[in-house]
Amino acid sequence: MIDNPWSPPLVSIENLGWDASERNFKKTLNFIMQHFERGTSDSDVCILQEFVNSHRESYDKMDTFQTRITYLRKRLNNTKFKMSDKAYIWLVLQGIANAHSNLYHRSVGSIATLTWESLMAELRQIALVENARSGS
């Protein structure tokens, strides 16, 4: 199929910017995977909506919440909706405000120096405590 330049799938990926003279299968596969991982703008909006509406209470465990928001942030960073770390931090803080009000207030008080990494470390600590309590 790849040797047929008129094959409809090849014409489709050529329209996306793929170089038809590329003979390295891995490069071609990576190009295709990157295109599909980016998705459509409709899916980008859904990812943004999910991130904005993510709340700790909606997840059974903190590590599940943290894994999801980390994944969504990574996906958003590859879209037109990429935001600054402070924007991501504010949204996560809103997502934990009800369930972890102490962390929320402490973090808001230090927002000028708070980094994504330090907030994620705080969430990991909460997850460890939760897991220890539940015996997980």
Side-chain angles (χ1 to χ4, degrees):
M1 185 168 116
I2 288 190
D3 291 331
N4 179 356
W6 300 108
S7 173
L10 287 184
V11 171
S12 295
I13 63 172
E14 282 179 323
N15 291 339
L16 298 172
W18 175 69
D19 179 5
S21 66
E22 180 59 64
R23 294 295 176 213
N24 182 322
F25 178 74
K26 180 158 177 36
K27 285 184 181 178
T28 299
L29 183 60
N30 287 342
F31 177 86
I32 293 168
M33 294 303 293
Q34 287 173 356
H35 170 71
F36 287 108
E37 285 176 0
R38 282 196 304 262
T40 66
S41 60
D42 285 347
S43 68
D44 294 347
V45 169
C46 291
I47 294 166
L48 178 62
Q49 287 174 328
E50 183 179 349
F51 192 93
V52 168
N53 294 307
S54 291
H55 297 282
R56 168 59 186 92
E57 308 76 56
S58 301
Y59 296 83
D60 61 339
K61 300 188 307 185
M62 175 60 85
D63 55 2
T64 308
F65 171 74
Q66 186 174 11
T67 299
R68 188 64 184 166
I69 60 170
T70 301
Y71 168 77
L72 293 171
R73 178 177 179 259
K74 182 179 177 183
R75 290 285 309 272
L76 285 169
N77 277 335
N78 293 318
T79 71
K80 64 183 177 184
F81 299 114
K82 180 179 178 177
M83 299 178 279
S84 69
D85 277 352
K86 288 296 182 206
Y88 288 119
I89 289 169
W90 275 112
L91 290 169
V92 171
L93 290 176
Q94 292 301 310
I96 65 166
N98 292 332
H100 299 281
S101 60
N102 288 339
L103 175 57
Y104 171 81
H105 291 294
R106 191 173 68 246
S107 297
V108 168
S110 64
I111 194 71
T113 59
L114 186 63
T115 64
W116 177 260
E117 292 76 19
S118 62
L119 179 57
M120 293 299 103
E122 292 267 6
L123 298 185
R124 277 191 297 279
Q125 287 301 313
I126 292 170
L128 288 172
V129 171
E130 284 181 359
N131 290 339
R133 286 183 185 156
S134 69
S136 302

